[in-house]
Amino acid sequence: MKSDRHFPVKRLLALGALVGAGAYYFSREQNRRALDAKLAELGLKDAAHDVGESVTKGWEKTKEAAKDAGAVIADKAGEVKDAAAGGAQAAADKVKEVAGDVKDAVQGAADKAGDAAKDVAGTASDRAADLKAAAQDKAAEVKADAQAKVAEAKADVQKAANDVKGAARDAKKS
């Protein structure tokens, strides 16, 4: 009987690749400093820190779940080995008996890893919303600054035009 649920290996590999790429990028001092400066400028340093902590917690949960599943598998393998001393039939019976426990342990580890990935994704999603709001605020600020500079430039051009007209009138009078 095959289970409809299976361990999401592709997702786990993709998450691992993403974490690895991030670790490589952040391991370079120059990149860390530049990113810290940009995040501080945008006021997003805390959001990035929260996502990093979430990934760390997710990794710890996944690691602990795998450790627990490994302990169950090792324990059950020992039981099968002991039963094998009693003959092939005893070993086969013991394998059937412990198969459910092993399956449950692996499924539990997969569920915990999935939950950890969901937690990380939720935190990332929340922080992405924060980033979007901050980006919109920054864009509005930049737009307001640009409009103020355009108005200032128009005023300067108008003043220069008036100065030229005044100078031309003065030149005509002389």
Side-chain angles (χ1 to χ4, degrees):
M1 178 169 120
K2 187 172 179 175
S3 174
D4 289 339
R5 292 180 46 148
H6 65 282
F7 189 73
V9 174
K10 289 180 184 177
R11 287 185 192 161
L12 187 60
L13 289 175
L15 179 63
L18 182 63
V19 169
Y24 171 75
Y25 180 80
F26 293 125
S27 68
R28 298 187 61 206
E29 184 67 26
Q30 177 183 357
N31 292 343
R32 277 197 311 270
R33 274 190 257 129
L35 183 63
D36 280 349
K38 186 53 95 175
L39 290 174
E41 177 185 326
L42 296 173
L44 303 174
K45 199 168 182 178
D46 291 338
H49 181 71
D50 290 348
V51 171
E53 281 186 359
S54 178
V55 168
T56 301
K57 288 177 186 176
W59 175 250
E60 290 299 321
K61 287 179 183 178
T62 301
K63 189 169 84 171
E64 189 64 33
K67 181 180 166 188
D68 293 346
V72 168
I73 291 169
D75 182 50
K76 298 305 175 182
E79 289 180 25
V80 171
K81 181 181 173 189
D82 292 343
Q89 185 59 42
D93 291 343
K94 192 59 157 177
V95 166
K96 288 178 185 174
E97 180 183 322
V98 300
D101 293 339
V102 169
K103 179 182 175 189
D104 291 344
V106 170
Q107 187 61 50
D111 290 345
K112 287 180 184 176
D115 291 344
K118 285 178 187 173
D119 291 346
V120 170
T123 299
S125 177
D126 292 346
R127 295 306 166 233
D130 293 346
L131 293 175
K132 181 180 177 186
Q136 288 173 338
D137 290 346
K138 191 68 170 177
E141 181 182 320
V142 168
K143 181 180 177 184
D145 287 347
Q147 288 173 341
K149 288 183 186 202
V150 166
E152 186 179 314
K154 279 183 179 180
D156 288 346
V157 167
Q158 186 64 41
K159 182 181 181 290
N162 289 339
D163 289 347
V164 168
K165 285 179 186 177
R169 275 189 230 131
D170 289 346
K172 270 187 175 180
K173 289 181 186 179
S174 332

